[in-house]
Amino acid sequence: MVSVREYSIWIIPPEPVNDRLTQVIARLSKQYSTPSFEPHVTLLGDLLLPEEDMVSKTSQLADLLRPFTLQLTTVSYLSVYFRCLFIKVEETEALMEANRKARTLFQREYDPRFMPHLSLLYGNFTPEKKEAIISEIGRSFQIPFEVRSLHVVLSSSKIAPESWRKLAQFPFN
């Protein structure tokens, strides 16, 4: 029997950007007793497939993409647990095209609009608390980095972030 699980396709920042963001996330998660997680931008999530199909399709997607620059911008927040506090990501043509190609390949054309972001904190906090945290860490994170690969991650809103795990990485063609 084929096991179907929930996966995501992540863009993971390279060093030294990854280390800088990991430190911010770790400090915030410790300070506010929330889950810690690896810095990432989810290109496409909530993918319910057998692992073999997930890996195969993500490999195909990586073959369709070329390296591009991703630009982090400013910190914002929503009243959503997994978008509690995040850095907005500039909606460049290359990033939005990568998302469109992923949606097409995974037959997810009708998903809600893609809102690229890199989360810093998961949780449920008041807007006032979030503004206080932004005052502490700063609102501007003008950080560019080169995207050269995609990661398949076993991740879901139904399992604890501590249980998420990377399964494969696919460099761009």
Side-chain angles (χ1 to χ4, degrees), residues 9-12 43 58-59 61-63 65 68 98 102 147-152 168-172:
I9 301 171
W10 283 5
I11 295 168
I12 297 177
L43 185 65
T58 305
S59 175
L61 177 61
D63 285 344
L65 301 177
F68 61 91
V147 178
R148 298 183 166 277
S149 65
L150 299 174
H151 296 260
V152 173
Q169 178 178 0
F170 297 98
F172 294 164

Side-chain angles (χ1 to χ4, degrees), residues 2-42:
V2 176
S3 173
V4 174
R5 296 163 120 177
E6 199 165 332
Y7 301 93
S8 296
I9 301 171
W10 283 5
I11 295 168
I12 297 177
E15 297 302 344
V17 176
N18 192 290
D19 185 55
R20 177 178 173 192
L21 295 169
T22 296
Q23 289 178 28
V24 173
I25 292 166
R27 184 168 52 82
L28 291 173
S29 70
K30 185 176 181 181
Q31 187 173 349
Y32 296 100
S33 301
T34 60
S36 190
F37 50 90
E38 184 165 4
H40 65 278
V41 175
T42 301

Side-chain angles (χ1 to χ4, degrees), residues 129-173:
K129 186 62 172 173
K130 293 174 194 178
E131 286 292 343
I133 295 169
I134 292 170
S135 293
E136 172 192 329
I137 64 171
R139 189 169 296 275
S140 182
F141 276 78
Q142 300 294 325
I143 305 170
F145 62 85
E146 194 76 9
V147 178
R148 298 183 166 277
S149 65
L150 299 174
H151 296 260
V152 173
V153 182
L154 177 62
S155 66
S156 164
S157 59
K158 300 167 190 74
I159 59 174
E162 297 85 13
S163 299
W164 295 351
R165 68 177 208 279
K166 288 187 282 188
L167 300 177
Q169 178 178 0
F170 297 98
F172 294 164
N173 200 357

Side-chain angles (χ1 to χ4, degrees), residues 55-120:
V55 168
S56 172
K57 285 187 175 193
T58 305
S59 175
Q60 290 173 45
L61 177 61
D63 285 344
L64 297 173
L65 301 177
R66 300 289 171 266
F68 61 91
T69 300
L70 192 144
Q71 176 69 49
L72 302 180
T73 62
T74 57
V75 178
S76 190
Y77 56 86
L78 293 172
S79 297
V80 178
Y81 182 86
F82 287 105
R83 292 184 184 169
C84 176
L85 193 69
F86 57 88
I87 304 170
K88 292 179 182 178
V89 176
E90 186 177 313
E91 294 183 13
T92 63
E93 181 56 37
L95 176 59
M96 300 311 278
E97 182 63 21
N99 174 260
R100 278 191 291 278
K101 287 178 178 178
R103 286 171 179 252
T104 299
L105 192 62
F106 286 91
Q107 299 179 325
R108 298 280 297 272
E109 292 93 341
Y110 300 106
D111 277 11
R113 187 179 182 288
F114 178 49
M115 189 197 87
H117 66 282
L118 189 143
S119 290
L120 295 174

